[in-house]
Amino acid sequence: VAQDICAYLSHHDNQDIRVKKYYNNAIGATSTEKKISVAIENKDSCQRYSGISISGIKVGASPQWMQNKLLAIGQKPINNIVDITNYMLHDTGQPLHAFDADKIKDGIIRIKNLPQDTLFTTLDNKQRKLSNEDLMICDGENNPLCIAGVYGGADSGIKPFTTSLFLESAWFNPVSIRKTSFRHGLRTDAAARFEKNADISNTVRVLERAAALITEIAGGEVTSSIIDVYPSPGQKKEILFQYTYLKKLSGKRYPAGTVNRILESLDFEILKNGPDKIILAVPF
């Protein structure tokens, strides 16, 4: 919405007004004591998985400014770690999930499907029978930790006594998430984002910002470099954009320079410019 408004103002006020994408926070590891590896076994349902480890945190109440922002959009503050993940979800559209690092056996995260009717207890303390089509986040011993992109597990989430965490920022297949969400009646904020197709290019940038917030608010230090498993990096879609179609659609004739300026302010990349058409790369 902010980007659309900026494009409108730039076009009508003849000035370059852009969204402040402040979540560009490069963050480095102070040590590598908590090294967690990632193995994606279902590469269709999980095409990118990024994560980072943080140790020495203190779980407690969020600062008042963050609580106020969450309350203003109808979110109930829970604790500083969960609140940061919710804050980032609503700020950027990218869901995050925080695991208690001590619950990740063998120091391995596996993204996979489990056998039909595997039992799993979710955050609401309900035991659910999984479908073999549900994408799961598991540990090194194939124990389920989380229903990927939908709902966390009762045992692996952040508790008041948690001191080390592993933070996930991933891209999950929209169709897979939607089916799992409806199958189990779990209509969560995360599932709502993933099923509409999250921005696959954004996982690391949001992860860096969230990690910076966690160390600032909950203390601790980053104890791993960023893990980013991205087997087949996505290519931007290219489309042919014809001025005759724009005139037909809008009922108005726009100068070529205006068209270029509006599209670029919406993050479209102009690959080829012609007298009656342009070839564009669509933002993720």
Side-chain angles (χ1 to χ4, degrees):
V1 172
Q3 194 154 15
D4 281 352
I5 292 169
C6 287
Y8 177 88
L9 293 173
S10 296
H11 171 58
H12 288 279
D13 296 349
N14 268 332
Q15 49 184 320
D16 189 24
I17 302 171
R18 294 181 181 271
V19 176
K20 289 182 180 176
K21 294 185 178 177
Y22 63 84
Y23 46 96
N24 288 323
N25 289 62
I27 193 160
T30 52
S31 71
T32 53
E33 65 173 86
K34 287 282 184 183
K35 191 172 181 182
I36 290 174
S37 60
V38 171
I40 302 177
E41 296 185 19
N42 184 337
K43 292 182 175 65
D44 178 56
S45 295
C46 177
Q47 294 180 18
R48 188 175 193 182
Y49 192 98
S50 311
I52 197 168
S53 297
I54 303 173
S55 298
I57 61 165
K58 188 173 182 181
V59 178
S62 295
Q64 199 59 50
W65 68 264
M66 181 169 282
Q67 292 192 41
N68 291 343
K69 292 221 177 202
L70 292 171
L71 288 166
I73 58 169
Q75 293 282 307
K76 181 183 176 182
I78 297 170
N79 62 51
N80 47 14
I81 305 301
V82 176
D83 290 354
I84 287 168
T85 62
N86 285 333
Y87 178 85
M88 293 305 298
L89 176 144
H90 289 281
D91 186 41
T92 68
Q94 172 63 43
L96 302 169
H97 189 74
F99 298 92
D100 186 325
D102 293 332
K103 300 292 183 179
I104 303 173
K105 293 182 179 177
D106 294 342
I108 301 172
I109 287 282
R110 297 188 189 278
I111 301 99
K112 60 182 294 178
N113 298 77
L114 293 172
Q116 183 72 26
D117 295 335
T118 298
L119 296 176
F120 177 59
T121 304
T122 45
L123 268 173
D124 53 5
N125 286 314
K126 290 184 179 178
Q127 194 174 67
R128 302 174 188 272
K129 283 186 178 180
L130 300 175
S131 162
N132 58 8
E133 294 183 1
D134 294 331
L135 186 68
M136 301 297 296
I137 310 298
C138 302
D139 63 18
E141 296 180 3
N142 295 321
N143 300 307
L145 303 174
C146 175
I147 302 176
V150 178
Y151 211 47
D155 190 46
S156 63
I158 302 299
K159 306 287 195 302
F161 49 81
T162 299
T163 58
S164 299
L165 64 82
F166 178 76
L167 188 63
E168 163 195 288
S169 179
W171 185 94
F172 299 120
N173 186 294
V175 175
S176 169
I177 296 298
R178 186 171 65 250
K179 286 181 176 178
T180 292
S181 174
F182 277 98
R183 187 181 294 119
H184 296 287
L186 292 168
R187 305 299 297 142
T188 61
D189 284 332
R193 286 353 182 251
F194 282 126
E195 70 184 20
K196 292 178 179 68
N197 200 354
D199 183 350
I200 199 168
S201 70
N202 222 17
T203 61
V204 170
R205 186 165 51 186
V206 176
L207 186 69
E208 288 175 335
R209 174 61 180 159
L213 274 175
I214 288 171
T215 55
E216 176 189 326
I217 292 170
E221 59 181 6
V222 174
T223 49
S224 78
S225 54
I226 286 180
I227 299 158
D228 185 26
V229 183
Y230 195 8
S232 303
Q235 301 297 313
K236 288 184 177 181
K237 289 183 181 177
E238 295 181 12
I239 60 169
L240 176 67
F241 186 90
Q242 295 177 303
Y243 289 113
T244 52
Y245 179 68
L246 176 61
K247 170 74 167 59
K248 180 181 176 183
L249 195 65
S250 65
K252 185 176 176 181
R253 192 179 299 281
Y254 288 90
T258 300
V259 171
N260 287 5
R261 198 163 61 248
I262 292 173
L263 289 169
E264 285 177 331
S265 66
L266 292 169
D267 274 356
F268 286 85
E269 184 184 348
I270 296 170
L271 302 175
K272 192 174 180 182
N273 225 327
D276 53 359
K277 61 189 175 184
I278 8 181
I279 296 174
L280 300 169
V282 182
F284 287 108

